[in-house]
Amino acid sequence: MSENCDVRRVRTERTRHDSVGGEDHVMGGHVEGILFGLGNPLLDIMAVVTEEFLKKYGLKPNDAIIATDRHKDLFKEMVAQFNVEYVPGGASLNSIRIAQWLIGVPNATTYIGCINKDEFGTVLESKVMAEGVRGAFQYDHTEPTGTCAVCLTGQNRSLVAYLGAAKHLKADHLKIPENRRLMESAHYFYMSSFPLTVSPASVLDVAKFASDNDRMLAYNLSAPFLCREYHSAMMSIMPYVDILFGNEDEAKVFSEVEHWDAKDLREIALMIARLPKASGKRGRMVICTQGANPTLVIKEGVISEYPVIPIRKEDIVDTNGAGDAFVGGFLSQLVQGGSIEDCIRAANYAANYIIQQSGCQIPDKPNFSPESVGF
C-alpha cells in the first residue's frame, strides 16, 4: 500500500463534518426529483412453496438463477397455487425506494426503466408510486414485465429472475422532453451496472449528462460477473463516476480483469479511485462493503473504516437486498448535504433493517436519525 495513504478507523463519537458533495446543501429549496435512478425493474413475487414445486422446476432450495423456457409457467403457477406477495425489485429500484423512504418527501426520487402494461407491470408501477417514487417508465409490449420468483421453504429462498420487458429499455426514452426535464431537475444520479446488459447507451447517456452538467453520479459494480463480462462497457462509464459502490468480491474481480498486481482490498480501492475522470472538479470516492467487516471509504486519498451494526445470526432473514439498501441509505443523506458519517449511518441502518426482512420490504415510516445510529 502507498506510504502516502492515511488509514483512519472511525470512532463512535459524532462530530460536525462537511457535506459529501462539498457544500452545505439542504433540500429545502429543491426537493422534487433531486435523485434520479435508472435500472432493470422487476416485480418480486414471493411465496412459501413446497419441495414438490421446487423439484418440478429443477430449483435448489438456496439458489439464484435466470429463468429459462423450463420456467415459463412458474410465475403463473405461483400466483394460482400459493399466497403470494408482490414487492418491487431490481437492484437500482431497490436503492431508489430505500432512499425515497428515508428522505420522506414525495417525489424526491425519479426512476426510469422498462416494463409492460400488463398485470405485473401495473402492480409494480402502482406500488412504486405509492412509496413516493416518481416512475417514468418506458412501456414495451413484446415481453411481459420482468419478474423474480422468490420461492421460500423454511429458512431457504430460491430466486428465479426473468428480465422480460426490462431488456427493451432504449436510450431514446431519455430524449423524451418530459424525461429530459426530469434529468435536468435532478442534482444526483444513481445506476447499478445491471442495465449495461440491456441498454449500455442509456447508462452512458445518463453518465455523460451528469458530468456535463456538474451533477454527482453514483454507480455500482453490482456483481462479479458484470465486472468480468461487461468490463469494457463499465470502463466507458467510469470516467463520469463520482461515487463508486462495490463489495470485496466485485472489487477483486475488477482488479483481476484490469491485470493489477494488487491483492489487498485497500490498495484495489485506491487504484479504482485513481482511474481517470472526465471532470477534474471532484475526485472519485470509492465505498467498499465487506459483509460483517468494516466498510472501506476512500476519499481524497484517505482510507477510512466504518464498522457495521452488529446483528445476531439468528436475526438475519435475507441478505439479498443488503447491498441495495446500503446504497439507498447512503444516497438519502447525500442528497440532503449529509457528511460521510451521516451517509454511512443511514446506509448501515437501512442494510441492517432489510436483512431482517424477506425481500426489500419497507414500512411506511423509518425510525432513523443520524444521531440514533452509532459506529
Side-chain angles (χ1 to χ4, degrees), residues 107-322:
N107 295 327
T109 60
T110 298
Y111 178 83
I112 278 184
C114 188
I115 60 176
N116 191 325
K117 274 194 169 182
D118 53 12
E119 179 184 357
F120 289 158
T122 300
V123 171
L124 188 153
E125 186 169 11
S126 64
K127 284 183 172 290
V128 165
M129 298 184 77
E131 292 175 343
V133 177
R134 182 195 297 275
F137 291 101
Q138 175 188 328
Y139 301 109
D140 179 87
H141 302 291
T142 60
E143 290 194 65
T145 294
T147 48
C148 182
V150 183
C151 305
L152 308 173
T153 52
Q155 297 299 311
N156 300 317
R157 45 199 36 81
S158 187
L159 309 179
V160 184
Y162 167 68
L163 285 177
K167 294 184 294 186
H168 298 280
L169 178 66
K170 300 292 189 294
D172 286 347
H173 186 62
L174 297 169
K175 295 180 173 61
I176 295 173
E178 175 58 27
N179 293 338
R180 214 63 181 179
R181 283 193 290 271
L182 293 173
M183 292 175 65
E184 290 167 356
S185 70
H187 286 192
Y188 301 86
F189 293 80
Y190 174 70
M191 296 180 289
S192 75
S193 290
F194 287 107
L196 290 179
T197 67
V198 301
S199 187
S202 298
V203 179
L204 187 59
D205 188 356
V206 171
K208 286 184 175 180
F209 178 91
S211 178
D212 291 346
N213 292 275
D214 194 25
R215 313 295 169 83
M216 187 170 281
L217 172 64
Y219 190 74
N220 202 318
L221 296 179
S222 299
F225 87 91
L226 292 169
C227 296
R228 193 179 303 280
E229 298 176 24
Y230 293 86
H231 192 76
S232 179
M234 192 178 287
M235 289 303 289
S236 72
I237 307 300
M238 199 61 67
Y240 309 104
V241 175
D242 297 301
I243 301 177
L244 183 73
F245 295 94
N247 63 33
E248 55 188 325
D249 294 332
E250 295 155 3
K252 289 176 180 177
V253 170
F254 187 97
S255 176
E256 291 172 7
V257 178
E258 282 291 294
H259 303 293
W260 290 341
D261 187 22
K263 303 298 181 184
D264 182 82
L265 187 59
R266 294 167 180 80
E267 186 176 0
I268 293 171
L270 278 166
M271 294 176 75
I272 295 175
R274 291 168 180 163
L275 287 170
K277 282 191 95 257
S279 170
K281 292 186 177 180
R282 62 176 71 91
R284 179 182 298 108
M285 183 188 304
V286 176
I287 301 167
C288 191
T289 58
Q290 305 182 86
N293 294 320
T295 297
L296 302 181
V297 176
I298 287 78
K299 183 183 181 186
E300 298 175 352
V302 176
I303 306 175
S304 301
E305 296 184 357
Y306 295 86
V308 303
I309 300 173
I311 185 171
R312 298 179 305 174
K313 185 177 180 179
E314 56 267 30
D315 291 333
I316 298 175
V317 175
D318 188 351
T319 60
N320 284 309

Side-chain angles (χ1 to χ4, degrees), residues 19 23-28 30 34 187-188 334-338:
S19 162
E23 59 185 14
D24 279 335
H25 171 69
V26 178
M27 285 200 314
H30 178 84
I34 194 169
H187 286 192
Y188 301 86
L334 172 70
V335 304
Q336 298 180 76

Side-chain angles (χ1 to χ4, degrees), residues 64-118:
I65 65 170
I66 299 296
T68 66
D69 287 343
R70 179 176 183 178
H71 308 106
K72 63 180 181 180
D73 296 324
L74 179 148
F75 301 93
K76 289 183 178 179
E77 187 171 339
M78 279 186 70
V79 174
Q81 288 195 14
F82 305 106
N83 183 22
V84 300
E85 188 168 4
Y86 299 110
V87 180
S92 298
L93 181 52
N94 282 341
S95 295
I96 292 297
R97 292 172 56 234
I98 290 289
Q100 176 64 54
W101 176 55
L102 287 167
I103 294 169
V105 178
N107 295 327
T109 60
T110 298
Y111 178 83
I112 278 184
C114 188
I115 60 176
N116 191 325
K117 274 194 169 182
D118 53 12

